[in-house]
Amino acid sequence: MEKLDLITSTYQERYTLIGEDGKPTNVVKEHQITTDSKVPKLGLMMVGLGGNNGTTVTAGILANKKHLKWETKRGEASANFYGSFTQCVTTKIGMRVGKDRDGNSIIQDVYAPIKSLLPMVDPTELVVGGWDISSLDMYQATKRAMVLEPDLIRQLKDDLSEIKPLPAVFNISYIASNQEDRADNVKEGTNRELVEQIREDIRKFKEANGLDKIVVLWTANTEKFYEKDIATIDELDKLIDSNASLPASVLYGVATLLEHCVYLNGSPQNTLHPAIIQLAVREGAAVAGSDFKSGQTKYKTCLLYTSPSPRDRQKSRMPSSACKKKKKKK
């Protein structure tokens, strides 16, 4: 159902609830889902803009927008959105009656591209900006990252050189010490002042580019876990106002939500405290994310943390003699 500038839909969630007595109860729960019918002009502000993820995303958007081709050691490559959920994936939308090769009636599944179901932003129209503790422009940062092919970087030199990161919030207590050497582009101030500076950055970026909405994406280094969960908004405010040592990601999250923007956390850190979730609900904004990892990378991480080390495996290996059955003494 479409009403004014909104598209609304009712979704029924069905599940079985098992009671304390062990008896099952079927539950139907209705959810009202609303989305804008107008596609917004969208800005993407990345924290860690000049890192491996930020440079790759930015160059990928530009390469697709320009329909570029470039040489690699395996031959010519061209820009595409392979692997993109919104741009490449299809989903089942229903069924229809069709015919098989012999003319018999059969039921066929019908699929449609995800991007055709709802009004969606064209990724090539994203306006990219953000923050980084290094002052290198995106061309120099992309070269430093050594992820993309030199021929592609060469073709994007002019576009990337125009993108310069804003000074970033930096707390060395929560990230790897090897990042300190490149930190020549950092903000200064108390926690509350830093939050206000980030808010001002978001407002200026939105106004300068004529944006309707902004998504802030944490793509910087993974931070050390904060010592405990921040339970309430009051507790969060006290920590900020007392200038307690807080992870930069928490300050970015607070500033983003106070500007009613979406905040996405791309690192496996405990940024989304209960207080951050409560703030998102209060401000009518959205937060999401716990890690960029998926697929084989996630699988390898699981193996890393669950498999014993070579030394442990050596210790746990039973000697061959232990496998032999011992003869019972007569």
Side-chain angles (χ1 to χ4, degrees), residues 28 38 43 48 126 160 177 186 197 234 247 270 300 304 312-313:
V28 178
K38 177 189 173 184
L126 287 170
L160 291 172
S177 58
V186 299
Q197 289 176 43
D234 285 342
N270 62 338
K300 289 174 182 175
L304 176 65
D312 291 335
R313 286 197 292 269

Side-chain angles (χ1 to χ4, degrees), residues 25-324:
T25 302
N26 293 326
V27 179
V28 178
K29 188 175 181 180
E30 287 196 348
H31 300 274
Q32 195 80 8
I33 302 172
T34 303
T35 188
D36 292 332
S37 60
K38 177 189 173 184
V39 176
K41 185 175 182 182
L42 184 64
L44 173 63
M45 298 188 75
M46 290 182 277
V47 186
L49 180 64
N52 289 8
N53 292 326
T55 53
T56 303
V57 167
T58 305
I61 290 170
L62 291 170
N64 277 281
K65 188 170 187 174
K66 292 173 170 289
H67 307 288
L68 294 184
K69 296 182 179 181
W70 59 93
E71 290 297 326
T72 76
K73 61 184 179 182
R74 297 181 180 85
E76 187 179 74
S78 59
N80 61 70
F81 282 111
Y82 295 162
S84 168
F85 177 78
T86 61
Q87 302 302 299
C88 295
V89 176
T90 61
T91 185
K92 181 179 175 181
I93 60 171
M95 296 178 290
R96 65 184 170 203
V97 178
K99 300 286 185 180
D100 62 15
R101 293 180 179 179
D102 299 323
N104 300 315
S105 296
I106 57 172
I107 301 297
Q108 298 174 319
D109 292 333
V110 179
Y111 293 84
I114 293 289
K115 64 180 180 181
S116 70
L117 301 183
L118 288 170
M120 289 190 181
V121 174
D122 182 343
T124 63
E125 297 301 320
L126 287 170
V127 180
V128 176
W131 305 265
D132 201 280
I133 62 173
S134 170
S135 61
L136 292 182
D137 64 51
M138 288 296 278
Y139 171 66
Q140 295 296 335
T142 303
K143 289 179 64 178
R144 179 187 60 195
M146 294 189 293
V147 174
L148 302 177
E149 296 288 346
D151 188 34
L152 173 58
I153 299 174
R154 178 187 58 79
Q155 294 183 61
L156 292 174
K157 180 178 180 180
D158 291 343
D159 298 278
L160 291 172
S161 297
E162 292 179 358
I163 304 174
K164 297 176 174 59
L166 297 164
V169 176
F170 180 63
N171 188 342
I172 190 61
S173 301
Y174 288 94
I175 64 171
S177 58
N178 63 358
Q179 296 298 305
E180 191 168 12
D181 293 340
R182 56 190 289 259
D184 62 355
N185 191 43
V186 299
K187 294 182 182 297
E188 294 183 357
T190 65
N191 285 340
R192 185 60 68 184
E193 289 170 345
L194 292 173
V195 168
E196 292 306 315
Q197 289 176 43
I198 297 168
R199 294 185 66 181
E200 183 66 18
D201 288 342
I202 293 172
R203 288 194 292 264
K204 286 182 176 179
F205 188 74
K206 186 175 184 179
E207 182 179 356
N209 294 283
L211 303 174
D212 299 311
K213 294 182 179 181
I214 288 179
V215 171
V216 174
L217 173 63
W218 177 276
T219 180
N221 278 56
T222 300
E223 296 174 317
K224 181 179 71 175
F225 266 47
Y226 187 65
E227 56 192 21
K228 63 174 184 176
D229 278 342
I230 305 173
T232 66
I233 296 176
D234 285 342
E235 182 183 353
L236 177 60
D237 282 335
K238 288 178 182 178
L239 289 170
I240 292 174
D241 291 331
S242 66
N243 211 32
S245 180
L246 290 171
S249 62
V250 171
L251 301 182
Y252 277 104
V254 171
T256 301
L257 296 175
L258 291 176
E259 289 301 312
H260 307 104
C261 298
V262 175
Y263 185 69
L264 302 178
N265 174 47
S267 292
Q269 56 208 18
N270 62 338
T271 301
L272 304 187
H273 295 270
I276 296 290
I277 306 298
Q278 293 167 27
L279 183 62
V281 173
R282 190 190 77 183
E283 298 297 324
V287 292
S290 61
D291 202 349
F292 279 139
K293 292 181 180 178
S294 61
Q296 64 168 311
T297 312
K298 193 75 170 179
Y299 179 68
K300 289 174 182 175
T301 303
C302 291
L303 287 179
L304 176 65
Y305 286 105
T306 58
S307 298
S309 67
R311 180 180 295 178
D312 291 335
R313 286 197 292 269
Q314 190 67 33
K315 287 180 179 178
S316 65
R317 187 176 297 158
M318 294 177 66
S320 57
S321 59
C323 299
K324 296 178 180 178

